[in-house]
Amino acid sequence: MEFDLSTQPEIVQQAADYALQGFELARSWALSPAAWSQFALLVVAYLLALVVARRMRGTLGRLLAPEAEDETMLAHARRSVLLFLPLLLPLLAYAFTALGESIVRSLFDSGAVIAFGKRVFMFLAVRTLVQEIIKDPLLRLLGRYVLIPLAAIYALGLLDLLVAELNGMTVSLGNISFSVMSLIRGIVAGGVLFWLGGWSNRQTADFIEKQENMRPSMRQLMAKATEFTIFGVAFLLLLNIMGINLSALAVIGGAIGVGLGFGLQKIASNFISGVILLIEGQATVGDFVELDGGESGQIVRMTARAAILETFDGRWIVVPNEDFITTRVTNYSDSGSANRYEAPFSVSYDTDINQVPGIIEAAVATHPDVLDVPCPPDCELRGFGDSGIDFAVEFWVNGLDDGPNKYTSDVLFLIWNALKEHDIEIPYPQRVVEIKGGLPQAEA
């Protein structure tokens, strides 16, 4: 039965032509004894792959499965390998079919049917990879709308024709030109490369973070340097895969240089300041700092551009790295140092003040966080006030007198209890009022 498609669009005519060729090919396979033998080989290859995959899956599962509590880098790598076990069946079927194809072609100089079956097994492997193994949203999206369609076209034997057409279509951006095929290849390769870069960066960062013998600032510096290196190499590899001439990026590099010289000099200054901070370790994550401008808080994160401070009332302050270099910074949490605080109080003028220092120092020393080094609690006479005698006790602690720690409040409680225990009066304001001329007489 024939149809007149001369009046239809060219794409419809080409589709009908391909459909007719496929029908003729399928009919020739159905009527050919050689094709039947190749179908039989496909069935044998699949059944053999099914048996081998079942045995290998159990063996590999036992060999590669780490202990549940094992969190080393090797254990994570072994768990990652176990995720690819569903690919065993289609890949083994592909391998056995490829072996059968080579045998059939050497004997009969024909193997179109078994070659088609081999490509179908590869399509099934790609489909399994996208649907069962890939969990990253970006890679799953690329696999669903790029990789699976390409695998289907490959299974139909049209991939070479499609590649030739796409290679003939070019896209130009200024003096940089590349083919549409290079663009598609770059999208797929870019997704894979940057996913691998993100995965390897996370693994490396976790490994560096566990090196407790290194300073926190050096751990952060190494993590940042590793991150820049990984993604820089991935970017260069992506350009090479897309076939872009790296010399053509000289113009872009020059533009970036001009931008750094004018509009981006603050960003460059903050980036370099961040590197200096990480190298010197004067301020790092976890430190409580106070800047000359009044900003104060605990450093919870250090980025390439700025440090993020968290105050004790939950607010975040973004401070450019340059401010840590060009202004005065007070660090209350520097490694190996303690902080000194004082708690003022007063006693009555009726008190024997010679007893007060010993009583207060002994009471404050009972606090579990008060240190004996560099100096034990020290009670000092500060002056004679209007209502009482003023004292203050100085004490050293490892920490800040704010947020979760209220050292001064605890010390004042200890002072109050100690004075009450020794019957020492804490005065309150008293005033003497003198009325000149006496009180007025009340009239009778």
Side-chain angles (χ1 to χ4, degrees), residues 135-188:
K135 302 301 181 183
D136 184 79
L138 175 60
L139 290 183
R140 184 180 282 264
L141 184 67
L142 289 175
R144 184 177 301 168
Y145 294 105
V146 178
L147 197 57
I148 289 181
L150 286 177
I153 294 172
Y154 169 73
L156 295 174
L158 302 176
L159 185 60
D160 292 338
L161 179 62
L162 178 63
V163 169
E165 290 290 335
L166 294 178
N167 281 327
M169 302 169 60
T170 59
V171 177
S172 298
L173 296 175
N175 61 340
I176 302 176
S177 62
F178 46 87
S179 65
V180 176
M181 186 63 201
S182 299
L183 180 61
I184 297 175
R185 190 188 304 121
I187 292 174
V188 176

Side-chain angles (χ1 to χ4, degrees), residues 327-356:
T327 62
R328 184 175 57 186
V329 179
T330 303
N331 192 338
Y332 292 93
S333 305
D334 190 20
S335 178
S337 67
N339 297 314
R340 190 190 71 175
Y341 298 97
E342 67 174 40
F345 64 97
S346 299
V347 298
S348 170
Y349 275 100
D350 297 331
T351 305
D352 183 3
I353 60 174
N354 296 303
Q355 299 178 4
V356 172

Side-chain angles (χ1 to χ4, degrees), residues 387-434:
S387 302
I389 304 173
D390 298 330
F391 284 87
V393 59
E394 297 176 346
F395 58 95
W396 290 79
V397 291
N398 273 325
L400 296 172
D401 187 28
D402 204 344
N405 301 316
K406 307 294 184 185
Y407 297 119
T408 301
S409 175
D410 295 342
V411 168
L412 288 174
F413 271 106
L414 293 173
I415 293 173
W416 172 273
N417 294 328
L419 294 178
K420 288 295 182 181
E421 183 180 352
H422 290 82
D423 297 325
I424 298 176
E425 181 183 354
I426 299 176
Y428 51 86
Q430 301 179 17
R431 296 289 183 268
V432 177
V433 179
E434 180 181 354

Side-chain angles (χ1 to χ4, degrees), residues 86-102:
L87 290 177
L88 271 178
L89 177 58
L91 290 181
L92 284 173
Y94 178 86
F96 292 150
T97 306
L99 180 61
E101 180 188 7
S102 63

Side-chain angles (χ1 to χ4, degrees), residues 25-332:
L25 180 62
R27 187 173 66 175
S28 65
W29 286 354
L31 300 177
S32 172
W36 298 346
S37 62
Q38 294 179 45
F39 277 120
L41 282 176
L42 281 176
V43 174
V44 171
Y46 177 77
L47 294 177
L48 182 60
L50 187 63
V51 174
V52 175
R54 285 180 178 176
R55 293 182 178 273
M56 290 185 63
R57 184 190 293 266
T59 304
L60 292 176
R62 289 190 298 271
L63 291 176
L64 295 177
E67 298 293 336
E69 64 275 4
D70 193 354
E71 295 296 334
T72 62
M73 184 176 294
L74 180 60
H76 286 291
R78 292 166 65 181
R79 292 190 182 99
S80 300
V81 173
L82 287 174
L83 295 176
F84 291 88
L85 287 182
L87 290 177
L88 271 178
L89 177 58
L91 290 181
L92 284 173
Y94 178 86
F96 292 150
T97 306
L99 180 61
E101 180 188 7
S102 63
I103 296 174
V104 169
R105 289 190 183 277
S106 64
L107 295 177
F108 304 107
D109 196 22
S110 174
V113 176
I114 198 169
F116 174 74
K118 182 183 69 173
R119 296 194 297 268
V120 169
F121 287 136
M122 179 55 68
F123 168 76
L124 294 177
V126 171
R127 183 173 174 272
T128 303
L129 175 67
V130 173
Q131 294 187 348
E132 299 185 21
I133 298 175
I134 295 178
K135 302 301 181 183
D136 184 79
L138 175 60
L139 290 183
R140 184 180 282 264
L141 184 67
L142 289 175
R144 184 177 301 168
Y145 294 105
V146 178
L147 197 57
I148 289 181
L150 286 177
I153 294 172
Y154 169 73
L156 295 174
L158 302 176
L159 185 60
D160 292 338
L161 179 62
L162 178 63
V163 169
E165 290 290 335
L166 294 178
N167 281 327
M169 302 169 60
T170 59
V171 177
S172 298
L173 296 175
N175 61 340
I176 302 176
S177 62
F178 46 87
S179 65
V180 176
M181 186 63 201
S182 299
L183 180 61
I184 297 175
R185 190 188 304 121
I187 292 174
V188 176
V192 174
L193 283 175
F194 283 98
W195 176 80
L196 287 174
W199 178 82
S200 59
N201 179 59
R202 289 191 298 271
Q203 299 299 320
T204 306
D206 291 341
F207 175 75
I208 294 174
E209 193 63 29
K210 294 177 182 178
Q211 307 305 310
E212 298 181 355
N213 56 334
M214 297 174 59
R215 287 188 306 162
S217 59
M218 288 303 299
R219 291 201 298 265
Q220 277 202 317
L221 179 61
M222 290 188 64
K224 289 294 182 184
T226 304
E227 181 180 359
F228 289 139
T229 302
I230 289 174
F231 286 105
V233 171
F235 179 70
L236 294 177
L237 286 175
L238 178 59
L239 294 180
N240 190 28
I241 291 172
M242 293 181 64
I244 297 177
N245 188 1
L246 297 181
S247 62
L249 297 177
V251 177
I252 300 177
I256 293 175
V258 173
L260 288 175
F262 291 96
L264 302 179
Q265 50 183 307
K266 277 291 184 182
I267 295 178
S269 174
N270 286 319
F271 177 78
I272 296 173
S273 299
V275 174
I276 294 174
L277 282 174
L278 292 174
I279 292 176
E280 293 184 349
Q282 299 298 328
T284 186
V285 174
D287 290 353
F288 189 92
V289 296
E290 181 178 355
L291 277 69
D292 205 20
E295 302 90 350
S296 63
Q298 186 179 30
I299 301 177
V300 295
R301 186 180 177 189
M302 297 189 71
T303 65
R305 188 190 65 85
I308 299 176
L309 310 183
E310 183 178 12
T311 64
F312 285 122
D313 53 5
R315 294 180 175 89
W316 279 22
I317 304 174
V318 179
V319 181
N321 290 329
E322 185 182 12
D323 291 357
F324 286 88
I325 303 298
T326 58
T327 62
R328 184 175 57 186
V329 179
T330 303
N331 192 338
Y332 292 93

